[in-house]
Amino acid sequence: MGKSLGGFFGAIVTAVVVAAAVYFSGGTALAAVGWGAAAGAVSLVATSMLNSCA
């Protein structure tokens, strides 16, 4: 349970960091949300796959 929560919060942090980077580099808010959501989803899936292999 602890590992899955860590992966979830890690994905949230990744999404926020990517969204902020896109937004502050001149992107629109909509693009920042899209890129952030995509990065968070990829991070969560990758973490879940790594945890299932271990």
Side-chain angles (χ1 to χ4, degrees):
M1 174 87 176
K3 281 188 173 183
S4 63
L5 273 176
F8 180 74
F9 286 120
I12 295 292
V13 170
T14 300
V16 170
V17 168
V18 169
V22 170
Y23 183 75
F24 288 115
S25 67
T28 64
L30 186 60
V33 169
W35 278 104
V42 167
S43 176
L44 185 60
V45 168
T47 303
S48 296
M49 289 176 68
L50 286 174
N51 286 341
S52 69
C53 291

